[in-house]
Amino acid sequence: MGVKLERIVKTYYDNLAAGKITARKCQDCGAVEWPPLLGCNTCGSTNMEWIEISGHGKMIQMVMPSPITQRPEMEDIRPYCLAVVEIEEGPVVNVMVRGVNRKNKNLVMEKMPGVPVHATIIPRDGYDTVIFDLDEVPEVPKKAK
Amino acid sequence: MKNNINQTTLHPYSRSVSIIGVGCTPFMYTMDNPETEGLTEGELFGYAAYKAMEDAGVTPKDVDFYFHGEASPFNGSNYITPNMQVSEWFGMRGKASIHHSEACCTGYLAIEQAVNAVASGKYNVVLTGCVEFGDAVADPNKPAHIRRKFDDNMFQESLKWIYDRAYTRAMMCGPNLHQDDVCAWYKDEYGLTDDQMDDTLIHMAINSRRSASKNPLALARKTYEELAKEHDFDDVMEYMKSFFNPKMTANLRASGLELKCDGAAAAIVCPTEMAHLFTNKKPIEVLGIGNATREANQAHVELLATREACRQVYELTGVKPEEIDLLMANDFFLSSQLCAAEESGYLPRGEGWKYFIEGRTAYDGDKPINTNGGRCSFGHAHAASGLADVYEAVMQMRGECGERQIKKVPKTSFIRGFGGAQNVAAIILRTKE
Ligand SMILES: [Zn+2]
């Protein structure tokens, strides 16, 4: 068993285009790398196999966008927050989470950490990427007039 | 949360290495002043290099090798081997050199490089310098003195270059979350309200600006108290929370973001036992340097990389946090002061924020931090900032800082380097008696 020269990045994006979110699981220690990498950062092994991830995760930190973190190229995914998400398979990654807005952010914050989220594949300019959505978007009760 | 960061055990240097000379230009907007407009790479780097050599009592003939650091040489200078292009400006024509580039951590790793080169035994006297044009960038089609402004849009565009292209940029979050990550984590961890974090950051800014106001090399030297008066505010806190100091990120106000600018700094290192051959000043020994990195897609980049770098350097040196007299922390996001202070053990975990509010981290407080003013007041000439912090620590440790001198001259300093999405260095310096 030795390292193989393979196109991991291209395979990941090709899989996204086919509707699958994939990762690499270490066959020696069981750790998962998502997004997928050549070797394992837990034990160093190159004995990695492709797996499909469930897409389920928990949001453990959220930050609302602001004047300099709200980028024009991200307009199409609003409303969103910047988040740290732990996916079911183990990795903890910085990702975009959709469904949080200025009105419902306090309701979401009350349930932190651990708000359930799920991965969604979205198109960008010439490739696809992964963001997350709240499993349940809290409804803000309408104020009586 | 799983830590998910590999650890390294450091081994002692093969021989003790000390800093014997430091030099630093003013941090400035060169193009905005007729006296400095047109300054070039060779002049800034050369000035800092000669100042460091004069300070060390060495000449270019004594220097065996030099390291050149620049965060973004292609962008700022239109160079890809910038050590070559400035090598003849300070009398070292033909001597060997190498360029390195770790974005905002460059100047901290510049000391690491030089110390390793001497500790290995290969060289005795090494110059390490960094230069950056963070405000006046090269015009590729004109001679070096003709420059153009590096505006905010160009800067934002260039920031992409520090992020991974396989996934991080496409996933969009890392590059936008990192400026707030420390504040968000700290508030969650210790139950601080948004207002408490805001007050902490405002006091940090006020303390740092007060230091910068007493530092002739600093870029922004008008205190926030003075600025408040100019805008008809009696209360500086009211001014700091007004639209004159808007929130730019979820936590950081304008006063909590770097002032990118132009500048250079340099240092000379040699074997500690040889220092007396050149200078009567006490050598500043580099006891150890911890290093860690963490890519921006990973959670809590600054926090966890700082934690690991600190762990390494304490394990190697046996120094205790309570022995630290001065902390320098690269704070292009001002919240870095809090992260570096608590991770290095300089301030107690979960309590550090109060020290800022009580003014204890000012140059005249009992826990001084960033006595040169830091990146949001001293300025941020990206690569050069790290060596500017080394310059400040050395000057403080010699008692040569004038008005902003820490009363009890520091004997041990801790320098936390940070930058480039992100590299971290944890450096411990101690005065050799
Ligand atoms: Zn493994």
Side-chain angles (χ1 to χ4, degrees):
Chain A
M1 195 67 197
V3 65
K4 284 189 301 221
L5 182 61
E6 54 182 315
R7 293 178 299 184
I8 292 161
V9 178
K10 185 178 188 320
T11 302
Y12 175 73
Y13 285 99
D14 286 351
N15 288 344
L16 287 184
K20 284 193 296 190
I21 304 173
T22 48
R24 303 244 297 172
K25 182 169 182 160
C26 177
Q27 301 304 296
D28 291 338
C29 78
V32 169
E33 293 285 3
W34 183 77
L37 302 169
L38 192 58
C40 172
N41 277 290
T42 301
C43 77
S45 171
T46 55
N47 189 9
M48 307 284 279
E49 291 213 341
W50 286 94
I51 59 164
E52 192 169 343
I53 63 167
S54 75
H56 294 293
K58 286 186 167 22
M59 178 159 70
I60 55 180
Q61 177 178 297
M62 60 176 267
V63 170
M64 296 304 288
S66 59
I68 67 166
T69 60
Q70 191 158 303
R71 302 290 160 96
E73 64 270 24
M74 286 149 61
E75 281 296 295
D76 63 319
I77 62 167
R78 284 174 67 189
Y80 60 74
C81 68
L82 308 156
V84 179
V85 163
E86 180 168 5
I87 65 167
E88 205 167 58
E89 291 79 4
V92 181
V93 186
N94 295 334
V95 295
M96 307 302 297
V97 171
R98 267 193 315 204
V100 186
N101 57 40
R102 303 229 163 255
K103 284 185 178 151
N104 71 9
K105 68 172 180 183
N106 289 338
L107 293 176
V108 180
M109 200 64 192
E110 279 167 18
K111 294 183 182 147
M112 287 290 287
V115 171
V117 293
H118 58 274
T120 306
I121 301 170
I122 61 161
R124 308 312 285 161
D125 183 15
Y127 62 94
D128 296 302
T129 194
V130 174
I131 61 171
F132 283 72
D133 283 296
L134 293 180
D135 282 5
E136 279 177 46
V137 179
E139 296 267 339
V140 180
K142 286 215 173 75
K143 278 182 200 152
K145 287 199 175 164
Chain B
M1 196 195 92
K2 278 195 304 182
N3 193 327
N4 191 21
I5 183 166
N6 282 295
Q7 297 191 334
T8 301
T9 300
L10 304 182
H11 305 289
Y13 292 124
S14 298
R15 55 177 175 171
S16 163
V17 181
S18 286
I19 300 167
I20 59 166
V22 287
C24 188
T25 69
F27 273 31
M28 56 199 156
Y29 302 123
T30 52
M31 284 177 72
D32 291 1
N33 179 344
E35 306 262 307
T36 56
E37 194 263 326
L39 277 169
T40 69
E41 288 80 357
E43 290 143 1
L44 284 193
F45 192 105
Y47 174 87
Y50 268 122
K51 285 297 247 188
M53 286 190 269
E54 284 169 17
D55 187 41
V58 303
T59 73
K61 301 290 174 203
D62 299 317
V63 179
D64 300 320
F65 186 92
Y66 85 91
F67 288 94
H68 178 286
E70 188 170 358
S72 197
F74 189 69
N75 180 67
S77 301
N78 206 235
Y79 291 153
I80 56 170
T81 58
N83 54 313
M84 291 303 302
Q85 281 99 18
V86 304
S87 66
E88 310 211 337
W89 283 79
F90 43 94
M92 283 183 62
R93 176 177 292 156
K95 292 220 179 171
S97 65
I98 200 167
H99 164 74
H100 64 104
S101 197
E102 298 81 21
C104 302
C105 199
T106 306
Y108 303 91
L109 295 172
I111 278 291
E112 155 92 348
Q113 298 299 321
V115 169
N116 288 349
V118 173
S120 75
K122 184 175 181 186
Y123 299 116
N124 283 335
V125 180
V126 167
L127 170 85
T128 187
C130 293
V131 61
E132 199 81 44
F133 282 87
D135 186 59
V137 293
D139 182 331
N141 302 312
K142 306 237 166 65
H145 71 293
I146 302 172
R147 312 191 75 90
R148 53 186 185 174
K149 278 277 181 180
F150 190 35
D151 67 35
D152 282 342
N153 286 339
M154 290 161 73
F155 179 52
Q156 290 301 333
E157 195 59 25
S158 77
L159 281 178
K160 284 183 185 162
W161 304 336
I162 59 177
Y163 300 109
D164 156 68
R165 269 169 52 251
Y167 306 120
T168 304
R169 294 190 202 182
M171 290 171 73
M172 297 176 277
C173 182
N176 295 308
L177 175 62
H178 70 166
Q179 24 225 342
D180 283 306
D181 186 69
V182 158
C183 294
W185 177 85
Y186 196 91
K187 284 188 293 186
D188 287 351
E189 189 76 7
Y190 299 113
L192 261 67
T193 64
D194 288 343
D195 283 344
Q196 284 172 320
M197 183 53 74
D198 195 30
D199 283 352
T200 303
L201 292 164
I202 286 173
H203 282 282
M204 243 178 237
I206 291 172
N207 297 340
S208 292
R209 183 60 60 85
R210 209 154 62 76
S211 296
S213 75
K214 298 182 184 311
N215 184 352
L217 298 181
L219 179 70
R221 298 204 292 270
K222 194 172 277 186
T223 64
Y224 283 115
E225 288 82 353
E226 290 170 307
L227 286 164
K229 277 212 186 80
E230 281 179 14
H231 291 99
D232 284 331
F233 285 84
D234 293 330
D235 177 7
V236 66
M237 289 303 286
E238 205 180 311
Y239 168 77
M240 295 300 278
K241 291 184 181 186
S242 73
F243 63 84
F244 289 107
N245 188 29
K247 280 259 178 93
M248 302 299 286
T249 78
N251 296 279
L252 300 168
R253 293 180 180 274
S255 59
L257 295 176
E258 67 174 273
L259 301 174
K260 66 176 182 59
C261 63
D262 313 323
I268 303 284
V269 302
C270 79
T272 304
E273 61 181 19
M274 289 178 68
H276 71 277
L277 299 176
F278 307 110
T279 177
N280 294 324
K281 291 177 179 166
K282 284 178 192 164
I284 305 295
E285 189 181 5
V286 181
L287 294 186
I289 303 178
N291 284 161
T293 65
R294 195 160 171 87
E295 209 282 322
N297 227 22
Q298 296 291 306
H300 308 317
V301 171
E302 178 178 3
L303 180 83
L304 297 181
T306 299
R307 189 169 291 175
E308 166 57 13
C310 292
R311 189 198 64 74
Q312 289 173 16
V313 76
Y314 282 128
E315 182 181 73
L316 172 75
T317 61
V319 171
K320 300 272 178 297
E322 50 273 23
E323 295 170 48
I324 308 295
D325 303 312
L326 166 64
L327 175 71
M328 301 297 296
N330 201 15
D331 60 345
F332 49 85
F333 310 138
L334 195 55
S335 51
S336 278
Q337 289 191 21
L338 181 59
C339 176
E342 292 200 5
E343 291 306 320
S344 66
Y346 188 61
L347 298 180
R349 277 187 198 283
E351 302 288 323
W353 62 282
K354 296 176 194 160
Y355 285 65
F356 293 98
I357 291 179
E358 291 161 2
R360 296 174 67 179
T361 60
Y363 72 91
D364 50 0
D366 63 328
K367 286 283 179 183
I369 297 177
N370 289 0
T371 49
N372 57 3
R375 303 290 83 81
C376 306
S377 288
F378 182 84
H380 195 9
H382 302 130
S385 295
L387 285 173
D389 282 0
V390 170
Y391 173 91
E392 175 72 10
V394 168
M395 297 296 272
Q396 286 284 357
M397 293 166 86
R398 292 178 181 163
E400 293 176 4
C401 279
E403 271 195 283
R404 69 181 189 290
Q405 178 64 45
I406 301 168
K407 264 208 196 86
K408 182 191 155 225
V409 174
K411 190 170 158 34
T412 308
S413 296
F414 193 110
I415 304 177
R416 197 294 305 255
F418 173 57
Q422 302 282 0
N423 305 270
V424 170
I427 305 166
I428 298 182
L429 307 181
R430 178 165 285 167
T431 307
K432 190 83 183 170
E433 296 298 340

